[in-house]
Amino acid sequence: MSEHIILTYEISAEDFTRAGEASSDVKSKLKLLGIRPDVVRKVAIAMYEGEINMVIHARGGVITVEISPEEVAMVLTDEGPGIPDVELAMQEGYSTAPDEIRSLGFGAGMGLPNMKKCSDEMDLETTLGVGTTIRMVVKI
């Protein structure tokens, strides 16, 4: 692959029937491009966790994925409430998901920690009342 591929996905708030479609689509495209399975797995997990967080917490948002010969870069942008305590939110098991979300099997508090574990680089910018932008990179 010699060129950059850019993919954009609109994520709908509270739409659990479609949650995961964007990460599944990226996973399929990476496989078609012949990207190594370990890279595909890391990208799929990191993006899925971010996608679910957007559905649960952030009133949806936009994910832009740029695939280059060197890396897969994902930028997740939302206009949600922001993250009040990033350090706390990065702790495994910490969750602000309401009980009805937990009853659906989501909200275990592993989203941000898994995103960090599966990416080679992760930057998080958040402003209360404005939204959050997360940039993740997985090296190929």
Side-chain angles (χ1 to χ4, degrees), residues 5-13 18-27 29-30 43-56 58-67 72-79 115 132-137:
I5 298 169
I6 298 176
L7 307 166
T8 304
Y9 301 91
E10 296 274 341
I11 309 302
S12 300
R18 296 190 58 217
E21 285 183 2
S23 51
S24 181
D25 186 62
V26 169
K27 180 179 178 179
K29 285 179 170 56
L30 292 175
V43 168
I45 292 169
M47 188 166 155
Y48 175 80
E49 293 287 11
E51 189 176 350
I52 292 299
N53 277 353
M54 292 173 106
V55 170
I56 294 172
R59 299 188 290 270
V62 175
I63 300 176
T64 302
V65 179
E66 184 173 354
I67 305 165
V72 179
M74 298 156 276
V75 179
L76 293 74
T77 306
D78 68 59
E79 295 177 359
M115 291 163 71
T132 301
T133 297
I134 297 175
R135 182 177 188 274
M136 297 180 288
V137 173

Side-chain angles (χ1 to χ4, degrees), residues 2 14 26 30-31 34-35 41 45 49 54 56 62 80 84-86 96 102 122:
S2 61
E14 299 180 19
V26 169
L30 292 175
K31 284 181 176 180
I35 304 297
R41 184 183 148 281
I45 292 169
E49 293 287 11
M54 292 173 106
I56 294 172
V62 175
D85 187 335
V86 173
T96 58
R102 291 173 189 255
M122 180 174 143

Side-chain angles (χ1 to χ4, degrees), residues 83-100:
I83 302 170
D85 187 335
V86 173
E87 193 174 315
L88 187 58
M90 291 300 296
Q91 293 180 17
E92 291 185 10
Y94 176 78
S95 178
T96 58
D99 289 340
E100 64 265 20

Side-chain angles (χ1 to χ4, degrees), residues 101-128:
I101 300 299
R102 291 173 189 255
S103 72
L104 297 172
F106 300 102
M110 294 303 295
L112 288 172
N114 280 341
M115 291 163 71
K116 180 122 178 107
K117 278 183 198 168
C118 290
S119 57
D120 295 308
E121 299 171 21
M122 180 174 143
D123 297 308
L124 187 154
E125 294 178 22
T126 190
T127 304
L128 294 181

